[in-house]
Amino acid sequence: MCRNIHTLHNFEPAATSDEVHAAALQYVRKIAGTTKPSKANQAAFDRAVADIAHATEHLLHDLVAVAPPKNREEEAAKARARVEKSGRYAPRIAS
C-alpha cells in the first residue's frame, strides 16, 4: 500500500502539491488500514490527509540540502534498472 510514497526532498523540479497529496493519502491509508473509509470516517480521513500534506509541504520547504538536486528522470531510470536486475518483475516490452 505504501509503495507509492517516494522521496520528495531535493529533486529538480521540486515536488508538486499533487505528489505531496498522493504521499499523504498513501500514509493515511496505511495507518487507517483502508483505501476507502466509511461515510462515518470520511471527514476524519480527509482532514488527516490535508493535515499531513500541509505538514509535508512545510517540511520540504524548511529542509536544507547539502547535495545538488537529483534529476527525476535519472533516478527513475536507476530504479527501473535495479528492478530489472533483481528479476522481481518481467521487463517491459516496448510497443
Side-chain angles (χ1 to χ4, degrees):
M1 198 182 296
C2 281
R3 282 185 238 155
N4 292 340
I5 298 177
H6 301 285
T7 301
L8 299 177
H9 173 60
N10 200 27
F11 276 94
E12 190 59 45
T16 65
S17 293
D18 287 342
E19 290 172 311
V20 170
H21 182 269
L25 178 60
Q26 287 298 320
Y27 176 79
V28 172
R29 285 176 171 171
K30 182 68 171 188
I31 298 302
T34 183
T35 57
K36 181 76 172 123
S38 66
K39 288 183 181 182
N41 292 325
Q42 187 69 53
F45 190 91
D46 293 344
R47 188 172 48 255
V49 171
D51 289 348
I52 291 168
H54 182 76
T56 301
E57 292 275 2
H58 283 286
L59 174 64
L60 292 174
H61 181 265
D62 293 345
L63 288 175
V64 177
V66 293
K70 298 174 192 169
N71 179 284
R72 288 181 182 280
E73 288 78 23
E74 289 173 9
E75 294 301 314
K78 288 179 194 177
R80 279 190 300 276
R82 283 191 302 271
V83 167
E84 287 177 10
K85 184 178 179 183
S86 74
R88 290 181 292 186
Y89 303 99
R92 290 185 179 179
I93 299 172
S95 314

Coordinates of all heavy atoms in Angstrom, one line a residue:
M1 N 0.8 -1.2 0.0 CA 0.0 0.0 0.0 C 0.9 1.3 0.0 O 0.5 2.3 -0.6 CB -0.9 0.0 1.2 CG -2.1 0.9 1.1 SD -3.1 1.0 2.6 CE -3.8 -0.6 2.6
C2 N 2.0 1.2 0.6 CA 2.9 2.4 0.7 C 4.0 2.5 -0.3 O 4.9 3.3 -0.2 CB 3.5 2.5 2.1 SG 2.3 3.2 3.3
R3 N 3.9 1.6 -1.3 CA 5.0 1.7 -2.3 C 4.9 3.0 -3.1 O 5.9 3.3 -3.7 CB 4.8 0.5 -3.3 CG 5.3 -0.8 -2.7 CD 5.3 -1.9 -3.7 NE 4.4 -2.9 -3.1 CZ 3.8 -3.8 -3.8 NH1 3.8 -3.8 -5.1 NH2 3.0 -4.7 -3.2
N4 N 3.8 3.7 -3.1 CA 3.7 4.9 -3.8 C 4.3 6.1 -3.1 O 4.3 7.2 -3.7 CB 2.2 5.2 -4.2 CG 1.7 4.2 -5.1 OD1 2.5 3.5 -5.8 ND2 0.4 4.0 -5.2
I5 N 4.8 5.9 -1.9 CA 5.4 7.0 -1.2 C 6.9 7.1 -1.6 O 7.6 6.1 -1.3 CB 5.2 6.9 0.3 CG1 3.8 7.0 0.7 CG2 6.0 8.1 1.0 CD1 3.5 6.8 2.2
H6 N 7.3 8.1 -2.2 CA 8.6 8.2 -2.7 C 9.3 9.4 -2.0 O 8.6 10.3 -1.5 CB 8.7 8.5 -4.2 CG 8.0 7.4 -5.0 ND1 8.6 6.1 -5.2 CD2 6.8 7.3 -5.6 CE1 7.9 5.4 -5.9 NE2 6.7 6.0 -6.1
T7 N 10.6 9.4 -2.0 CA 11.3 10.6 -1.5 C 11.0 11.8 -2.3 O 11.0 11.8 -3.6 CB 12.9 10.4 -1.6 OG1 13.2 9.2 -0.8 CG2 13.6 11.6 -1.1
L8 N 10.6 12.9 -1.6 CA 10.2 14.1 -2.3 C 11.2 15.2 -2.2 O 11.1 16.3 -2.9 CB 8.8 14.6 -1.8 CG 7.7 13.6 -2.0 CD1 6.4 14.1 -1.3 CD2 7.4 13.3 -3.5
H9 N 12.2 15.1 -1.3 CA 13.1 16.1 -1.0 C 14.3 16.1 -1.9 O 14.8 15.1 -2.3 CB 13.6 16.0 0.5 CG 14.7 16.9 0.8 ND1 14.6 18.3 0.8 CD2 16.0 16.7 1.2 CE1 15.7 18.8 1.2 NE2 16.6 17.9 1.4
N10 N 14.7 17.3 -2.3 CA 16.0 17.5 -3.1 C 15.9 16.9 -4.5 O 16.8 16.3 -4.9 CB 17.2 17.0 -2.3 CG 18.5 17.6 -2.8 OD1 18.5 18.7 -3.4 ND2 19.6 16.9 -2.7
F11 N 14.8 17.2 -5.2 CA 14.7 16.8 -6.6 C 14.4 18.1 -7.4 O 13.9 19.1 -6.9 CB 13.5 15.9 -6.8 CG 13.8 14.4 -6.5 CD1 13.6 13.9 -5.3 CD2 14.4 13.6 -7.5 CE1 13.9 12.6 -5.0 CE2 14.7 12.3 -7.2 CZ 14.4 11.8 -6.0
E12 N 14.9 18.0 -8.6 CA 14.6 19.1 -9.6 C 13.9 18.5 -10.7 O 14.4 17.5 -11.4 CB 15.9 19.7 -10.1 CG 15.8 20.9 -10.8 CD 15.1 22.1 -10.1 OE1 15.4 22.3 -8.9 OE2 14.2 22.7 -10.7
P13 N 12.7 18.9 -11.1 CA 11.9 20.0 -10.4 C 11.4 19.5 -9.0 O 11.3 18.3 -8.8 CB 10.8 20.3 -11.3 CG 10.6 19.1 -12.1 CD 12.0 18.4 -12.2
A14 N 11.1 20.5 -8.2 CA 10.6 20.2 -6.8 C 9.3 19.4 -6.9 O 8.6 19.5 -7.9 CB 10.5 21.5 -6.1
A15 N 9.0 18.8 -5.8 CA 7.8 18.0 -5.7 C 6.6 18.9 -5.8 O 6.6 20.1 -5.4 CB 7.7 17.3 -4.3
T16 N 5.6 18.4 -6.5 CA 4.4 19.2 -6.7 C 3.4 19.0 -5.6 O 3.5 18.0 -4.8 CB 3.7 18.8 -8.0 OG1 3.2 17.4 -7.9 CG2 4.6 18.9 -9.2
S17 N 2.4 19.8 -5.5 CA 1.3 19.6 -4.5 C 0.6 18.3 -4.7 O 0.2 17.6 -3.7 CB 0.3 20.8 -4.5 OG 0.9 22.0 -4.2
D18 N 0.5 17.9 -5.9 CA -0.2 16.6 -6.2 C 0.6 15.4 -5.7 O 0.1 14.5 -5.1 CB -0.4 16.4 -7.7 CG -1.5 17.3 -8.3 OD1 -2.4 17.8 -7.4 OD2 -1.6 17.5 -9.5
E19 N 2.0 15.5 -5.8 CA 2.8 14.5 -5.3 C 2.8 14.4 -3.8 O 2.8 13.3 -3.2 CB 4.3 14.7 -5.8 CG 4.5 14.4 -7.2 CD 5.8 14.8 -7.7 OE1 6.3 15.9 -7.4 OE2 6.5 14.0 -8.4
V20 N 2.8 15.6 -3.1 CA 2.7 15.7 -1.7 C 1.4 15.1 -1.2 O 1.3 14.3 -0.3 CB 2.9 17.1 -1.2 CG1 2.6 17.2 0.3 CG2 4.3 17.6 -1.5
H21 N 0.3 15.4 -1.9 CA -1.0 14.9 -1.5 C -1.1 13.4 -1.7 O -1.6 12.7 -0.8 CB -2.1 15.6 -2.4 CG -3.5 15.2 -2.0 ND1 -4.1 14.1 -2.6 CD2 -4.4 15.6 -1.1 CE1 -5.3 13.9 -2.1 NE2 -5.5 14.8 -1.1
A22 N -0.5 12.9 -2.8 CA -0.5 11.4 -3.0 C 0.2 10.7 -1.9 O -0.2 9.7 -1.4 CB 0.1 11.1 -4.4
A23 N 1.3 11.3 -1.5 CA 2.1 10.6 -0.4 C 1.3 10.7 0.9 O 1.3 9.7 1.7 CB 3.4 11.4 -0.2
A24 N 0.7 11.8 1.2 CA -0.1 11.9 2.4 C -1.3 10.9 2.4 O -1.6 10.3 3.4 CB -0.7 13.3 2.6
L25 N -1.9 10.8 1.2 CA -3.0 9.9 1.1 C -2.6 8.4 1.3 O -3.2 7.7 2.0 CB -3.6 10.0 -0.3 CG -4.8 9.1 -0.7 CD1 -6.0 9.3 0.3 CD2 -5.2 9.3 -2.1
Q26 N -1.5 8.0 0.8 CA -0.9 6.7 1.0 C -0.6 6.5 2.4 O -0.9 5.4 3.0 CB 0.3 6.4 0.1 CG 0.0 6.3 -1.4 CD -0.9 5.1 -1.6 OE1 -0.7 4.0 -1.0 NE2 -1.9 5.2 -2.5
Y27 N 0.0 7.5 3.1 CA 0.3 7.3 4.5 C -1.0 7.1 5.3 O -1.0 6.2 6.2 CB 1.0 8.6 5.0 CG 1.3 8.6 6.4 CD1 2.4 7.8 7.0 CD2 0.5 9.3 7.3 CE1 2.7 7.8 8.3 CE2 0.8 9.3 8.7 CZ 1.9 8.6 9.2 OH 2.1 8.5 10.5
V28 N -2.0 7.9 5.1 CA -3.2 7.8 5.9 C -3.9 6.5 5.6 O -4.4 5.8 6.5 CB -4.2 9.0 5.6 CG1 -5.5 8.8 6.2 CG2 -3.5 10.3 6.1
R29 N -3.9 6.0 4.3 CA -4.5 4.7 4.0 C -3.8 3.6 4.8 O -4.4 2.7 5.3 CB -4.3 4.5 2.5 CG -5.3 5.2 1.7 CD -5.1 5.0 0.2 NE -6.1 5.6 -0.6 CZ -6.1 5.6 -1.9 NH1 -5.0 5.2 -2.6 NH2 -7.1 6.2 -2.6
K30 N -2.4 3.7 4.9 CA -1.7 2.7 5.6 C -2.0 2.7 7.1 O -2.3 1.6 7.7 CB -0.2 2.9 5.4 CG 0.7 1.9 6.0 CD 0.5 0.5 5.3 CE 1.5 -0.5 5.8 NZ 1.5 -1.7 5.0
I31 N -2.0 3.9 7.7 CA -2.3 4.0 9.1 C -3.7 3.5 9.4 O -4.0 2.8 10.4 CB -2.1 5.4 9.6 CG1 -0.6 5.8 9.4 CG2 -2.5 5.6 11.0 CD1 0.4 5.0 10.1
A32 N -4.7 4.0 8.6 CA -6.1 3.6 8.8 C -6.4 2.2 8.4 O -7.4 1.6 8.9 CB -7.0 4.6 8.0
G33 N -5.6 1.6 7.6 CA -5.8 0.2 7.2 C -6.9 0.0 6.2 O -7.5 -1.0 6.0
T34 N -7.2 1.1 5.5 CA -8.2 1.0 4.4 C -7.9 2.0 3.3 O -7.3 3.1 3.5 CB -9.6 1.4 5.0 OG1 -10.6 1.2 4.0 CG2 -9.7 2.8 5.6
T35 N -8.3 1.7 2.1 CA -8.2 2.6 1.0 C -9.4 3.5 0.8 O -9.3 4.5 0.2 CB -7.9 1.8 -0.3 OG1 -8.9 0.9 -0.6 CG2 -6.6 1.1 -0.2
K36 N -10.5 3.0 1.3 CA -11.8 3.7 1.2 C -12.5 3.7 2.6 O -13.0 2.7 3.0 CB -12.7 3.1 0.2 CG -14.0 3.7 -0.1 CD -13.8 5.0 -0.9 CE -15.2 5.5 -1.3 NZ -15.4 6.9 -0.9
P37 N -12.4 4.9 3.3 CA -13.1 4.9 4.6 C -14.6 4.9 4.5 O -15.2 5.2 3.4 CB -12.6 6.3 5.2 CG -12.3 7.1 4.0 CD -11.8 6.2 2.9
S38 N -15.2 4.5 5.5 CA -16.7 4.5 5.6 C -17.2 6.0 5.6 O -16.4 6.9 5.9 CB -17.2 3.8 6.9 OG -16.8 4.6 8.0
K39 N -18.5 6.2 5.3 CA -19.0 7.5 5.4 C -18.8 8.2 6.7 O -18.5 9.4 6.8 CB -20.5 7.5 5.0 CG -20.7 7.3 3.5 CD -22.2 7.3 3.2 CE -22.4 7.0 1.7 NZ -23.8 7.1 1.3
A40 N -18.9 7.4 7.8 CA -18.7 7.9 9.1 C -17.3 8.4 9.4 O -17.1 9.3 10.2 CB -19.1 6.8 10.2
N41 N -16.3 7.8 8.7 CA -14.9 8.2 8.9 C -14.4 9.1 7.8 O -13.2 9.5 7.9 CB -14.1 6.9 9.0 CG -14.4 6.2 10.2 OD1 -14.7 6.8 11.3 ND2 -14.4 4.8 10.1
Q42 N -15.1 9.4 6.8 CA -14.6 10.1 5.6 C -14.1 11.5 6.0 O -13.0 11.9 5.5 CB -15.7 10.3 4.5 CG -15.2 10.9 3.2 CD -14.3 10.0 2.5 OE1 -14.6 8.9 2.2 NE2 -13.1 10.5 2.2
A43 N -14.8 12.3 6.8 CA -14.3 13.6 7.2 C -13.0 13.5 8.0 O -12.1 14.3 7.7 CB -15.4 14.3 8.0
A44 N -12.9 12.6 8.9 CA -11.6 12.5 9.7 C -10.5 12.0 8.7 O -9.4 12.5 8.8 CB -11.8 11.4 10.8
F45 N -10.8 11.1 7.8 CA -9.8 10.7 6.8 C -9.3 11.8 6.0 O -8.1 12.0 5.8 CB -10.4 9.6 6.0 CG -9.5 8.8 5.1 CD1 -8.9 7.6 5.5 CD2 -9.3 9.2 3.8 CE1 -8.1 6.9 4.7 CE2 -8.5 8.5 2.9 CZ -7.9 7.3 3.4
D46 N -10.2 12.6 5.4 CA -9.9 13.7 4.6 C -9.1 14.8 5.3 O -8.1 15.4 4.8 CB -11.1 14.3 3.9 CG -11.8 13.4 2.9 OD1 -11.2 12.4 2.5 OD2 -13.0 13.7 2.6
R47 N -9.5 15.0 6.6 CA -8.8 16.0 7.4 C -7.4 15.6 7.7 O -6.4 16.3 7.6 CB -9.6 16.2 8.7 CG -9.0 17.4 9.5 CD -9.9 17.7 10.7 NE -10.4 16.6 11.5 CZ -11.6 16.0 11.5 NH1 -12.5 16.6 10.7 NH2 -11.9 15.0 12.2
A48 N -7.2 14.3 7.9 CA -5.8 13.8 8.2 C -5.0 13.9 7.0 O -3.8 14.3 7.1 CB -5.9 12.3 8.6
V49 N -5.5 13.6 5.8 CA -4.7 13.7 4.5 C -4.3 15.2 4.4 O -3.2 15.5 4.0 CB -5.5 13.2 3.3 CG1 -4.8 13.6 2.0 CG2 -5.8 11.7 3.4
A50 N -5.2 16.1 4.5 CA -4.9 17.5 4.4 C -3.9 18.0 5.4 O -3.0 18.7 5.0 CB -6.2 18.4 4.5
D51 N -4.0 17.6 6.7 CA -3.1 18.0 7.7 C -1.7 17.4 7.4 O -0.7 18.2 7.5 CB -3.5 17.5 9.1 CG -4.7 18.2 9.6 OD1 -5.1 19.3 9.0 OD2 -5.3 17.8 10.6
I52 N -1.6 16.2 7.0 CA -0.3 15.6 6.7 C 0.3 16.2 5.4 O 1.5 16.5 5.4 CB -0.4 14.1 6.6 CG1 -0.7 13.5 7.9 CG2 0.8 13.4 6.0 CD1 -1.2 12.1 8.0
A53 N -0.5 16.5 4.4 CA 0.0 17.2 3.2 C 0.6 18.6 3.6 O 1.6 19.0 3.1 CB -1.0 17.3 2.2
H54 N -0.2 19.3 4.4 CA 0.2 20.6 4.9 C 1.6 20.5 5.6 O 2.5 21.3 5.3 CB -0.8 21.2 5.7 CG -0.6 22.6 6.2 ND1 -0.7 23.7 5.4 CD2 -0.2 23.1 7.4 CE1 -0.4 24.8 6.0 NE2 0.0 24.4 7.3
A55 N 1.7 19.6 6.6 CA 2.9 19.5 7.3 C 4.1 19.1 6.4 O 5.2 19.5 6.6 CB 2.7 18.4 8.4
T56 N 3.8 18.2 5.4 CA 4.8 17.8 4.5 C 5.3 18.9 3.6 O 6.5 19.1 3.4 CB 4.3 16.6 3.6 OG1 3.9 15.6 4.4 CG2 5.4 16.2 2.6
E57 N 4.4 19.8 3.2 CA 4.8 21.0 2.4 C 5.8 21.8 3.2 O 6.8 22.3 2.7 CB 3.6 21.8 2.0 CG 2.7 21.1 1.0 CD 3.1 21.3 -0.4 OE1 4.2 22.0 -0.7 OE2 2.4 20.8 -1.3
H58 N 5.4 22.1 4.5 CA 6.3 22.8 5.4 C 7.7 22.2 5.6 O 8.7 22.8 5.5 CB 5.6 23.1 6.8 CG 4.6 24.1 6.7 ND1 4.9 25.5 6.7 CD2 3.2 24.0 6.7 CE1 3.7 26.1 6.6 NE2 2.7 25.3 6.7
L59 N 7.6 20.9 5.8 CA 8.9 20.1 6.0 C 9.8 20.3 4.7 O 11.0 20.6 4.9 CB 8.6 18.6 6.2 CG 9.8 17.7 6.3 CD1 10.7 18.1 7.5 CD2 9.4 16.3 6.4
L60 N 9.2 20.0 3.6 CA 10.0 20.1 2.3 C 10.6 21.5 2.1 O 11.7 21.7 1.6 CB 9.2 19.7 1.1 CG 8.8 18.2 1.1 CD1 7.9 17.9 -0.1 CD2 10.1 17.3 1.0
H61 N 9.8 22.5 2.5 CA 10.2 23.9 2.3 C 11.4 24.3 3.3 O 12.3 25.0 3.0 CB 9.0 24.9 2.6 CG 9.4 26.3 2.4 ND1 9.8 27.1 3.5 CD2 9.5 27.1 1.3 CE1 10.1 28.3 3.1 NE2 9.9 28.3 1.8
D62 N 11.3 23.7 4.5 CA 12.3 24.0 5.5 C 13.6 23.2 5.5 O 14.6 23.6 6.1 CB 11.7 23.9 6.9 CG 10.6 24.9 7.2 OD1 10.5 25.9 6.4 OD2 9.8 24.7 8.1
L63 N 13.5 22.0 4.8 CA 14.7 21.2 4.8 C 15.9 21.9 4.0 O 15.6 22.5 3.0 CB 14.4 19.8 4.1 CG 13.6 18.9 5.0 CD1 13.2 17.6 4.2 CD2 14.3 18.5 6.3
V64 N 17.1 21.7 4.4 CA 18.2 22.2 3.8 C 19.0 21.1 3.1 O 19.3 20.1 3.8 CB 19.2 23.0 4.8 CG1 20.4 23.5 4.1 CG2 18.4 24.1 5.4
A65 N 19.3 21.2 1.8 CA 20.0 20.2 1.1 C 21.5 20.6 1.0 O 21.8 21.7 0.7 CB 19.4 20.0 -0.3
V66 N 22.4 19.6 1.2 CA 23.8 19.9 1.1 C 24.3 19.3 -0.2 O 25.3 19.7 -0.7 CB 24.6 19.3 2.3 CG1 24.3 20.0 3.5 CG2 24.4 17.8 2.4
A67 N 23.5 18.4 -0.8 CA 23.9 17.8 -2.1 C 23.1 18.5 -3.2 O 22.0 19.1 -3.0 CB 23.6 16.3 -2.1
P68 N 23.6 18.5 -4.4 CA 22.8 19.1 -5.5 C 21.6 18.3 -5.8 O 21.5 17.1 -5.5 CB 23.8 19.0 -6.7 CG 24.9 18.1 -6.4 CD 24.9 18.0 -4.9
P69 N 20.5 19.0 -6.3 CA 19.2 18.3 -6.5 C 19.4 17.1 -7.5 O 20.2 17.2 -8.4 CB 18.3 19.4 -7.1 CG 19.0 20.6 -6.9 CD 20.5 20.4 -6.7
K70 N 18.6 16.1 -7.3 CA 18.6 14.9 -8.2 C 17.7 15.2 -9.3 O 16.7 15.9 -9.2 CB 18.2 13.7 -7.4 CG 19.1 13.3 -6.3 CD 18.5 12.1 -5.5 CE 19.3 12.0 -4.2 NZ 18.6 11.0 -3.3
N71 N 18.0 14.5 -10.4 CA 17.1 14.6 -11.6 C 16.1 13.5 -11.5 O 16.5 12.3 -11.4 CB 18.0 14.5 -12.9 CG 17.2 14.6 -14.1 OD1 16.5 13.6 -14.5 ND2 17.2 15.7 -14.8
R72 N 14.8 13.8 -11.7 CA 13.8 12.8 -11.5 C 13.9 11.7 -12.6 O 13.7 10.6 -12.2 CB 12.4 13.5 -11.7 CG 12.0 14.3 -10.5 CD 10.6 14.9 -10.7 NE 10.3 15.8 -9.6 CZ 9.9 15.3 -8.4 NH1 9.7 14.0 -8.3 NH2 9.6 16.1 -7.4
E73 N 14.2 12.1 -13.8 CA 14.2 11.1 -14.9 C 15.4 10.1 -14.6 O 15.3 8.9 -14.8 CB 14.3 11.7 -16.2 CG 13.0 12.4 -16.7 CD 12.8 13.8 -16.0 OE1 13.8 14.4 -15.6 OE2 11.6 14.2 -15.9
E74 N 16.5 10.7 -14.2 CA 17.7 9.8 -14.0 C 17.5 8.9 -12.8 O 17.8 7.7 -12.9 CB 18.9 10.7 -13.7 CG 19.5 11.4 -14.9 CD 20.6 12.4 -14.5 OE1 21.1 12.4 -13.4 OE2 21.0 13.2 -15.4
E75 N 16.8 9.3 -11.8 CA 16.6 8.5 -10.6 C 15.5 7.4 -11.0 O 15.6 6.3 -10.5 CB 16.1 9.3 -9.4 CG 17.1 10.3 -8.9 CD 18.4 9.6 -8.4 OE1 18.3 8.5 -7.7 OE2 19.5 10.0 -8.8
A76 N 14.5 7.8 -11.8 CA 13.6 6.8 -12.2 C 14.2 5.7 -13.1 O 13.9 4.5 -12.9 CB 12.4 7.5 -13.0
A77 N 15.1 6.1 -13.9 CA 15.8 5.1 -14.8 C 16.7 4.2 -13.9 O 16.7 3.0 -14.2 CB 16.7 5.8 -15.8
K78 N 17.3 4.7 -12.9 CA 18.1 3.9 -12.0 C 17.2 2.9 -11.3 O 17.6 1.7 -11.1 CB 18.9 4.8 -10.9 CG 20.0 5.6 -11.5 CD 20.6 6.4 -10.4 CE 21.5 7.5 -10.8 NZ 22.0 8.3 -9.7
A79 N 16.1 3.4 -10.8 CA 15.1 2.5 -10.1 C 14.7 1.3 -11.0 O 14.6 0.2 -10.6 CB 14.0 3.3 -9.6
R80 N 14.3 1.7 -12.3 CA 13.9 0.7 -13.2 C 15.0 -0.4 -13.5 O 14.8 -1.6 -13.5 CB 13.5 1.3 -14.6 CG 12.1 1.9 -14.5 CD 11.6 2.3 -15.9 NE 12.5 3.3 -16.6 CZ 12.4 4.6 -16.4 NH1 11.4 5.1 -15.6 NH2 13.1 5.4 -17.0
A81 N 16.3 0.1 -13.6 CA 17.4 -0.8 -13.8 C 17.6 -1.7 -12.6 O 17.9 -2.9 -12.8 CB 18.7 0.0 -14.0
R82 N 17.4 -1.2 -11.3 CA 17.5 -2.0 -10.2 C 16.5 -3.1 -10.1 O 16.7 -4.3 -9.8 CB 17.4 -1.2 -8.9 CG 18.7 -0.4 -8.6 CD 18.6 0.2 -7.2 NE 17.5 1.1 -6.9 CZ 17.5 2.4 -7.2 NH1 18.6 3.0 -7.7 NH2 16.4 3.1 -6.9
V83 N 15.2 -2.7 -10.5 CA 14.1 -3.7 -10.5 C 14.4 -4.8 -11.6 O 14.2 -6.0 -11.3 CB 12.8 -3.0 -10.8 CG1 11.7 -4.0 -11.1 CG2 12.4 -2.2 -9.6
E84 N 14.8 -4.4 -12.7 CA 15.1 -5.4 -13.8 C 16.2 -6.3 -13.4 O 16.1 -7.5 -13.6 CB 15.4 -4.7 -15.1 CG 14.1 -4.0 -15.7 CD 14.5 -3.3 -17.0 OE1 15.6 -3.4 -17.5 OE2 13.6 -2.6 -17.5
K85 N 17.2 -5.7 -12.8 CA 18.4 -6.5 -12.4 C 18.0 -7.5 -11.3 O 18.5 -8.7 -11.2 CB 19.5 -5.6 -11.9 CG 20.8 -6.4 -11.5 CD 21.9 -5.4 -11.1 CE 23.1 -6.2 -10.7 NZ 24.2 -5.3 -10.2
S86 N 17.1 -7.2 -10.4 CA 16.7 -8.0 -9.3 C 15.9 -9.2 -9.8 O 15.8 -10.2 -9.1 CB 15.8 -7.3 -8.3 OG 14.5 -7.0 -8.8
G87 N 15.3 -9.1 -11.0 CA 14.5 -10.2 -11.5 C 13.1 -10.4 -10.9 O 12.4 -11.4 -11.1
R88 N 12.7 -9.4 -10.1 CA 11.4 -9.5 -9.4 C 10.3 -9.3 -10.4 O 9.2 -9.8 -10.2 CB 11.3 -8.4 -8.3 CG 12.2 -8.7 -7.1 CD 12.0 -7.7 -6.1 NE 12.6 -6.4 -6.6 CZ 12.7 -5.3 -5.9 NH1 12.3 -5.2 -4.7 NH2 13.2 -4.2 -6.5
Y89 N 10.5 -8.6 -11.4 CA 9.4 -8.3 -12.4 C 10.0 -8.6 -13.8 O 11.1 -8.4 -14.1 CB 9.0 -6.8 -12.3 CG 8.5 -6.4 -11.0 CD1 9.4 -5.7 -10.1 CD2 7.3 -6.7 -10.5 CE1 8.9 -5.3 -8.9 CE2 6.8 -6.3 -9.3 CZ 7.7 -5.6 -8.5 OH 7.2 -5.2 -7.2
A90 N 9.1 -9.0 -14.7 CA 9.4 -9.2 -16.0 C 9.7 -7.9 -16.7 O 9.0 -6.9 -16.4 CB 8.3 -9.9 -16.8
P91 N 10.7 -7.8 -17.5 CA 11.0 -6.5 -18.2 C 9.8 -6.1 -19.1 O 9.2 -7.0 -19.7 CB 12.2 -6.7 -19.0 CG 12.5 -8.2 -18.9 CD 11.7 -8.8 -17.9
R92 N 9.6 -4.8 -19.3 CA 8.5 -4.3 -20.1 C 8.9 -4.5 -21.6 O 10.1 -4.3 -22.0 CB 8.2 -2.9 -19.9 CG 7.6 -2.6 -18.6 CD 7.3 -1.1 -18.5 NE 6.6 -0.9 -17.2 CZ 6.2 0.3 -16.8 NH1 6.4 1.3 -17.6 NH2 5.6 0.5 -15.7
I93 N 8.0 -4.9 -22.4 CA 8.2 -5.0 -23.8 C 7.7 -3.7 -24.5 O 6.5 -3.3 -24.3 CB 7.5 -6.2 -24.4 CG1 8.0 -7.5 -23.7 CG2 7.6 -6.3 -25.9 CD1 7.2 -8.7 -24.1
A94 N 8.6 -3.1 -25.2 CA 8.2 -1.8 -25.9 C 7.2 -2.1 -27.0 O 7.2 -3.1 -27.7 CB 9.5 -1.2 -26.5
S95 N 6.2 -1.2 -27.0 CA 5.1 -1.3 -28.0 C 5.5 -0.6 -29.3 O 6.0 0.4 -29.3 CB 3.8 -0.7 -27.5 OG 3.6 -1.1 -26.2

